């Protein structure tokens, strides 16, 4: 089963993600479930999901719960690759079947890989409307990375309004720069198979404008 859905009204929209992990090839194969398309992720209900209970229920080696995040695009188009599921009382869509990237450690959050680019398999379109602020990293190799989600898991006072000055709070490595830009026209990131992603040291996640995935480079 593969179905493509488009979801609008996503800016600052809470989403939750659960990974059902099976050991394979020195790492983990994953079924990736996300609440997107099933309604905004409820904070308390998501926090209460018992990953050990899910591991037993689904017969996998490990269940990993990504900290609750907030989308920053205005709309997205994404593939659903299997049947939806209710996990711990919360409704999810199955969005990916993938092998976890090198360096993934289920005992640590994604800030442990801060500023270390990774690749994941994904097919999607992120749409940002003209007039929307986008929050960008620039790496030393002159690649622009566009924030796709932020999280307050490591910094509880972080809100969408604080992203414009987030650069003052990040521990940026030498050669990395943070910038917020207001779009003068509609902007899209279209990924057909492989997405280049990178987290910052507060576990916010960005997608790189590599191999022509961006309709233009908003850093310029």
């Amino acid at each position: 089963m593969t179905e493509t859905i488009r979801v609008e009204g996503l800016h600052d929209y809470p989403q939750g993600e659960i990974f059902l992990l099976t050991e394979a090839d020195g790492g983990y194969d994953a079924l990736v479930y996300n609440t997107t398309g099933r309604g905004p992720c409820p904070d308390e209900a998501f926090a209460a999901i018992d990953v050990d209970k899910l591991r037993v229920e689904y017969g996998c080696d490990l269940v990993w719960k990504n900290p609750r995040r907030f989308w920053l695009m205005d709309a997205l188009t994404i593939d659903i690759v299997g049947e939806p599921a209710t996990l711990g009382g919360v409704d999810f869509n199955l969005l990916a079947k993938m092998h976890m990237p090198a360096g993934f450690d289920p005992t640590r959050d994604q800030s442990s890989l801060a500023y270390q680019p990774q690749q994941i398999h994904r097919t999607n379109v992120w749409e940002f409307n003209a007039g929307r602020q986008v929050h960008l990293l620039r790496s030393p190799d002159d690649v622009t990375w566009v924030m796709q989600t932020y999280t307050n898991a490591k910094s509880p006072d972080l809100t969408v309004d604080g992203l414009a000055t987030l650069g003052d709070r990040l521990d940026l490595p030498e050669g990395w720069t943070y910038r917020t830009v207001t779009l003068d026209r509609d902007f899209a990131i279209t990924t057909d198979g492989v997405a280049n992603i990178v987290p910052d040291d507060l576990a916010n996640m960005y997608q790189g404008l590599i191999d022509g995935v961006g309709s233009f480079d908003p850093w310029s």
Side-chain angles (χ1 to χ4, degrees):
M1 168 190 170
T2 301
E3 176 188 359
T4 300
I5 62 169
R6 186 173 188 273
V7 186
E8 300 180 343
L10 283 185
H11 185 69
D12 206 26
Y13 178 103
Q15 52 104 333
E17 200 163 55
I18 297 284
F19 291 66
L20 305 186
L21 301 171
T22 303
E23 294 180 6
D25 299 325
Y28 292 96
D29 286 338
L31 299 178
V32 184
Y33 287 89
N34 191 290
T35 57
T36 301
R38 308 291 291 179
C41 180
D43 190 4
E44 292 184 3
F46 182 71
I49 293 175
D50 186 331
V51 295
D52 288 329
K53 186 176 180 179
L54 285 180
R55 177 184 57 80
V56 173
E57 180 180 352
Y58 283 87
C60 52
D61 292 313
L62 190 67
V63 175
W64 182 66
K65 181 164 51 173
N66 201 350
R68 188 166 171 263
R69 296 176 167 277
F70 299 82
W71 289 121
L72 288 174
M73 67 288 296
D74 291 282
L76 64 77
T77 301
I78 197 162
D79 285 347
I80 296 173
V81 300
E83 295 295 330
T86 300
L87 307 177
V90 178
D91 292 334
F92 291 82
N93 279 318
L94 179 57
L95 297 189
K97 300 177 181 179
M98 59 181 282
H99 190 75
M100 296 300 286
F104 169 73
D105 182 346
T107 67
R108 306 173 71 184
D109 68 46
Q110 288 169 309
S111 66
S112 66
L113 295 172
Y115 311 108
Q116 299 177 43
Q118 310 155 48
Q119 288 188 331
I120 61 172
H121 292 279
R122 186 172 67 196
T123 299
N124 62 260
V125 181
W126 305 152
E127 301 173 45
F128 299 80
N129 293 341
R132 176 68 66 203
Q133 285 190 333
V134 290
H135 310 287
L136 312 173
L137 287 174
R138 187 80 162 183
S139 51
D141 54 354
D142 293 328
V143 172
T144 298
W145 303 80
V146 181
M147 192 186 293
Q148 60 188 35
T149 62
Y150 78 93
T151 179
N152 57 8
K154 289 185 67 68
S155 185
D157 65 334
L158 184 61
T159 67
V160 70
D161 293 332
L163 296 179
T165 57
L166 183 66
D168 296 335
R169 305 174 64 169
L170 296 176
D171 186 15
L172 293 167
E174 183 176 355
W176 287 78
T177 309
Y178 182 90
R179 180 182 178 192
T180 293
V181 172
T182 300
L183 294 171
D184 61 3
R185 58 194 187 276
D186 293 345
F187 170 64
I189 300 174
T190 302
T191 307
D192 187 15
V194 176
N196 293 273
I197 60 172
V198 73
D200 65 27
D201 54 281
L202 293 179
N204 308 304
M205 189 63 69
Y206 305 73
Q207 181 165 346
L209 301 186
I210 297 172
D211 297 329
V213 299
S215 56
F216 65 94
D217 187 344
W219 188 276
S220 303

